[in-house]
Amino acid sequence: MKDKKILTTILEALQVKVSSQVFRTYFKDITIISIDSKTLTIGCKNSFIKTILENKYLPTLNEMAQKILNNNLIKVQIVVNVKNSESHLYNDFPKDDKKEANLFLNNNFKIDTTNEENKSEVDTKINFSRLNPKYTFSNFVVGSNNQLAHAAALAIVENPGKAYNPFFVYGDVGLGKTHLIQAIGNAIIQKNPEYKVLYCSTESFLNEMIQSIIQKNIAIFREKYRDLDVLILDDIHFISKKEGLQEEFFNTFNTLYQAGRQIIVASDRPPSEISHLENRIRSRFEGGLVADIQKPDLETRVAILQNKLNERNEDLPSNIIYKIAELVDSNIRELEGALLKVSIFAKVHNWNISVNDIIQLLDRGSSVISKRKKINPLEIINAVSEELQISVKDIKSPKRHQEIVYARQICMFLLKEILNLQLIKIAKHLGRKDHTTIIHGISKIENLRNTDKDTAKLIQQIKSKINY
Ligand code: ADP
Ligand code: MG
């Protein structure tokens, strides 16, 4: 490993091990002066910092160096880096450092949230945490669709690690999962700036894990995550594609869980429907609180639109707001998109707009949505039955003939793809008891669609039959 790489690895590991205040004061400017088989010499800015590092952080640094360099004998030595040295005298410290040095000497790292400087401490925390500060509770509209998830989220802010652990939120895209789980993280940091909170997508979490396995420093990876107070993982369903990595994921997850740290995850489906998920992970999720977010009802959609307009200091006539809410019922992301479209349209037309204009403006874009609304499960099953000449009765029967099973699986697939029905509901419509057969059926047709032209064509034909 190159010196620079070693340094970056050490710094990264430190950043999660110590508070950001300590990191900024003592570690930010360290350099590597030399390495041999026995000693890693680290340079720092001045003798004050040297004393602190030696007295307080040498064991940590030794342990890290040994892990990173895979050498149990290596010891860290601290020297003042003469080239970059600022001063050897505490009195010459820049003002900020002096304050922090005092804090340190008083052994008091508690952050007082009342003064300005500490606000920036919160900002630094948010930066480290990868949270987006725009997602807060104050701009999250609560309706009957997300009430339970919201209440649980608030309880977690009050009692991280204790109230509901792990917390598993699921729902379709654009319904506010990311917003809610980030709001929890932001609120926890506001309340407890000393907490280490980290938000990341499951994809980047796994990528980081893979990297560390390749670079043979999985220990550092574990260390980094083990140290968190709150881990927020978004889009956990991604893990189903990575069966091989679930073991390591489970270890990290378990270590945090057993240490009483809060784990929050979001997914587009409940744990029972994530395919190829190891049973022990699934049951861990189910052992905590599982809450869903549904599509918002009309009232909630109106409230969301009103809220967005308030945020932007804009307004629209209430009949227009109502119409937008009525026309766009799929998800909140589309609702926001529609509102933006209308706002621009309204500005261009000097706010002289009618409900009819809105219908025209939005209907074009969301014709798919309004068409989708009219299709019901029975129509899909009937269409499959006609197209494949298999009776609905047979489709719903326990019969295992190849062509009947195929027709049934096509139904499963289309009920999911077109109506996005829950597996339990699909099972009910098709007279099945067990929804695991539904998971199997859907993924089988998904594969076939990509590999078998006839299946792809059949799906197309059935869709056009029902005007989808
Ligand atoms: P998901 O993660 O479920 O796909 P997001 O959290 O990204 O959805 O939400 C999509 C958009 O809708 C975001 O801009 C978010 O701020 C907004 N949003 C979602 N739910 C709400 C809500 N209850 N109140 C206000 N805005 C919301
Ligand atoms: Mg999301």
Side-chain angles (χ1 to χ4, degrees), residues 397-415:
S397 75
K399 287 184 192 163
R400 302 281 318 148
H401 300 89
Q402 208 181 350
E403 61 287 1
I404 299 178
V405 172
Y406 180 71
R408 196 178 289 140
Q409 290 176 334
I410 293 281
C411 289
M412 297 173 186
F413 172 82
L414 288 171
L415 288 171

Side-chain angles (χ1 to χ4, degrees), residues 135 172-179 181 199 234-235 237 266 333:
Y135 293 125
D172 284 339
V173 291
L175 294 182
K177 301 180 296 292
T178 298
H179 188 141
I181 60 177
Y199 164 88
D234 209 344
D235 296 324
H237 47 267
R333 199 169 292 140

Side-chain angles (χ1 to χ4, degrees), residues 10-11 14 17 26-27 30 40 42 52-54 56-68 74-78:
I10 292 182
L11 290 177
L14 278 167
K17 224 172 160 62
Y26 307 111
F27 294 106
I30 61 173
L40 166 65
I42 287 181
I52 302 240
L53 293 184
E54 277 172 346
K56 185 109 184 170
Y57 294 103
L58 209 51
T60 309
L61 288 168
N62 278 335
E63 195 193 340
M64 269 176 194
Q66 285 164 7
K67 266 188 203 146
I68 292 167
I74 202 154
K75 291 266 186 298
V76 172
Q77 180 189 14
I78 314 281

